[in-house]
Amino acid sequence: MVLADLIASGSVTVSIEWLTANQITSDRRVNTRPVDSAWVARKLKEGFDPNLLGVPMVSRRADGTQVWLDGQNRGSLMQGAGWGAQKIQCRVFTGLTPAQEAELFLGHNDNRQVKVVYKFLARVTSGDEDAAAINAIVQSFGWRINDQAGGKNITAVKSLERIFHGDRNTDDTMAPGRALQRTLRVVTEAWGYKSEAANGDVILGIGSVFNRFGDIVDLAVLIKKLAEFPAGPSGLLGKARGMRQYQGGTVAHCVAETVVTVYNARRRTNVLPDWR
């Protein structure tokens, strides 16, 4: 149900109220983007002007908790300027679920660009089916989608979505999700949780191979050969970047071409067609 219908039905109410920044908190499931501390510092240096705060959006939950939907950076700015206990006008929504809060966050975000990964995480909270399915696949292999690289984190949301939906430059022979499952199995079993294994070009390149050739690819063979590739995912990425300089194309598709070549090496049967 759209917000206007929720308001019309009376299940959600909207009011303008005077609140302080100290009364409002952030829920990272909903407001998935962290506070932009650089922006706050810059605004404090320029000189704090309360007349430029506008009217932030807040959700009031059943337990009384009040959560920023749009305005957490301005709230942090107020606190940094010593204005955390000063009241300002806020547009308060009462009766929203966390999923509905996330939908509002996607549409209102302090008028600054929100990174794709933050929008994706908000889509997971809002109940978006594709985002939830991708997130579940990622977690099933021990990874997590995060805005920080390293460890078991994957930041390359665009690559994950392209594999899930089928790379437009391939034949898309696999059902949504299957190519992504096979891709993450390969990188995880071949290299473990190395940050380079979660590189967007590496993931998209391997996923493109599955989207083009489907179940023809022998997973065990590919995992073994990639595990033996010199310098692992870093070596694969370096070779693809070098190839791109003299052959053209994207780095991801040079990764795919390299993967096909490695897979076919010393094979006499079930050889994959050349990538180009």
Side-chain angles (χ1 to χ4, degrees), residues 18 33 48 60 78 140 155 163 178 181 183 194 242 265:
W18 290 88
R33 179 187 61 191
F48 174 69
R60 178 176 293 136
M78 290 175 64
S140 72
T155 63
I163 297 169
R178 184 158 172 76
Q181 290 174 332
T183 299
K194 293 183 178 179

Side-chain angles (χ1 to χ4, degrees), residues 75-128:
S76 183
L77 175 62
M78 290 175 64
Q79 291 172 325
W83 256 60
Q86 297 292 326
K87 291 185 176 182
I88 62 168
Q89 283 190 322
C90 296
R91 191 180 184 197
V92 181
F93 294 81
T94 303
L96 294 173
T97 65
Q100 292 162 348
E101 291 174 347
E103 289 180 359
L104 274 180
F105 164 76
L106 287 170
H108 299 83
N109 44 73
D110 278 334
N111 299 316
R112 284 186 298 280
Q113 184 176 6
V114 180
K115 290 182 179 179
V116 173
V117 66
Y118 299 139
K119 288 187 176 181
F120 179 88
L121 291 171
R123 285 168 51 204
V124 173
T125 302
S126 73
D128 181 277

Side-chain angles (χ1 to χ4, degrees), residues 45-56:
K45 186 176 181 179
E46 292 173 357
F48 174 69
D49 184 350
N51 294 314
L52 301 179
L53 292 172
V55 182

Side-chain angles (χ1 to χ4, degrees), residues 100-238:
Q100 292 162 348
E101 291 174 347
E103 289 180 359
L104 274 180
F105 164 76
L106 287 170
H108 299 83
N109 44 73
D110 278 334
N111 299 316
R112 284 186 298 280
Q113 184 176 6
V114 180
K115 290 182 179 179
V116 173
V117 66
Y118 299 139
K119 288 187 176 181
F120 179 88
L121 291 171
R123 285 168 51 204
V124 173
T125 302
S126 73
D128 181 277
E129 291 185 4
D130 287 350
I134 292 168
N135 190 53
I137 292 171
V138 169
Q139 292 182 343
S140 72
F141 288 95
W143 297 89
R144 57 179 171 262
I145 296 173
N146 198 285
D147 64 336
Q148 300 294 320
K152 296 182 178 181
N153 295 342
I154 297 179
T155 63
V157 171
K158 287 185 178 179
S159 293
L160 297 175
E161 292 200 90
R162 285 185 64 180
I163 297 169
F164 182 83
H165 293 294
D167 184 356
R168 295 177 182 176
N169 296 314
T170 69
D171 296 332
D172 305 340
T173 61
M174 305 203 85
R178 184 158 172 76
L180 181 57
Q181 290 174 332
R182 292 168 76 85
T183 299
L184 293 179
R185 178 182 170 186
V186 166
V187 301
T188 305
E189 294 188 17
W191 300 312
Y193 299 103
K194 293 183 178 179
S195 59
E196 296 86 353
N199 176 275
D201 289 320
V202 170
I203 289 176
L204 182 56
I206 295 173
S208 296
V209 172
F210 287 119
N211 270 326
R212 178 176 291 188
F213 301 120
D215 289 321
I216 296 174
V217 182
D218 186 319
L219 275 180
V221 170
L222 181 57
I223 290 169
K224 182 176 185 298
K225 291 195 171 186
L226 289 181
E228 296 171 348
F229 194 86
S234 295
L236 177 63
L237 190 59

Side-chain angles (χ1 to χ4, degrees), residues 221 225 262-272:
V221 170
K225 291 195 171 186
V262 170
Y263 178 85
N264 285 339
R266 300 185 300 280
R267 286 180 68 83
R268 297 183 179 179
T269 59
N270 299 324
V271 176
L272 300 177

